[in-house]
Amino acid sequence: MKKIGLFFGSTSDNTKIASDYIKDYLEAHDFEVDIHDIGDIGSEKILEYDKILIGCPTWNIGELQSDWDAVFLDYEKLNFKGKTAAFFGCGDQTGYPDNFLDAIGILAEPFIKNGGTLIGRCSKDPYDFRESLALDGDELLGLGLDYDNDDEDACEDLMIAWLDEIMDDLK
Ligand SMILES: Cc1cc2nc3c(=O)[nH]c(=O)nc-3n(C[C@H](O)[C@H](O)[C@H](O)COP(=O)(O)O)c2cc1C
């Protein structure tokens, strides 16, 4: 099995908590996961992996979390041919219903455009919001986690269902 590279940015720690949970869950299922805070490394590091998980919360009304924002101009130029990635992110559907999870869309778009294979789309049905750059038809381009309105158990249940779904494609 190939090593998975998990890259996250997090300002108030929710995406870090989710990233740690995802790593532990995958390692309990015999995967090897390297976890990287994107604020500590450059985006080039992503290309060292063929199987990639990307976690980014949305901040400042429809913007990337600041560490992802700092690397975005390099990130959007990367060649993702041969790479498989799943995206997840934290957001607040009640507080920001017109920009819910935008960061997932902002990061997923250049990944797809530059040749990557995106896995881990999710139904929008469990959420209540108006607009999102992560929306593609009736699906979100990744897993949304709303720690502001849902309790931690509910977020863990969403992560488990999502990971069980994408696990075969991460092998
Ligand atoms: C000033 C501010 C702006 C935010 N903007 C958005 C937004 O546009 N869309 C959204 O879905 N969530 C937004 N959020 C909610 C955060 O994404 C949410 O709290 C998330 O869990 C933070 O993740 P982190 O702890 O990993 O940084 C915002 C929160 C704050 C405080």
Side-chain angles (χ1 to χ4, degrees):
M1 220 159 3
K2 287 186 175 168
K3 251 194 200 176
I4 297 170
L6 189 162
F7 298 85
F8 75 94
S10 186
T11 299
S12 58
D13 264 3
N14 290 329
T15 311
K16 181 177 176 3
I17 289 166
S19 299
D20 288 338
Y21 186 84
I22 288 169
K23 175 180 163 69
D24 289 349
Y25 189 79
L26 287 172
E27 288 188 341
H29 289 79
D30 295 331
F31 287 88
E32 258 189 276
V33 183
D34 289 342
I35 190 164
H36 301 284
D37 185 331
I38 196 71
D40 298 335
I41 44 145
S43 60
E44 282 275 322
K45 183 89 183 165
I46 297 172
L47 297 183
E48 291 181 17
Y49 300 86
D50 290 334
K51 307 289 181 177
I52 300 158
L53 295 173
I54 297 220
C56 181
T58 305
W59 274 91
N60 303 322
I61 314 182
E63 292 185 10
L64 295 173
Q65 185 268 346
S66 56
D67 297 311
W68 276 110
D69 199 47
V71 302
F72 184 73
L73 290 178
D74 292 327
Y75 167 89
E76 69 172 350
K77 294 191 199 98
L78 297 176
N79 179 354
F80 292 113
K81 284 205 182 81
K83 309 293 180 188
T84 298
F87 292 74
F88 65 98
C90 295
D92 173 354
Q93 60 201 301
T94 306
Y96 303 91
D98 294 316
N99 299 87
F100 184 49
L101 306 173
D102 276 359
I104 289 178
I106 295 169
L107 290 177
E109 201 233 46
F111 177 77
I112 296 167
K113 197 171 117 219
N114 297 353
T117 302
L118 183 138
I119 59 169
R121 289 167 187 258
C122 292
S123 165
K124 69 176 173 58
D125 293 346
Y127 310 94
D128 187 9
F129 64 97
R130 283 190 293 264
E131 300 282 341
S132 175
L133 294 177
L135 209 48
D136 184 19
D138 279 346
E139 285 184 323
L140 292 163
L141 291 167
L143 173 68
L145 299 167
D146 187 345
Y147 285 87
D148 295 82
N149 298 292
D150 296 333
D151 62 30
E152 208 163 318
D153 285 350
C155 292
E156 288 181 5
D157 288 346
L158 285 173
M159 285 188 272
I160 290 170
W162 182 68
L163 290 167
D164 288 348
E165 193 77 32
I166 63 176
M167 232 176 239
D168 278 349
D169 291 324
L170 291 173
K171 281 180 186 155

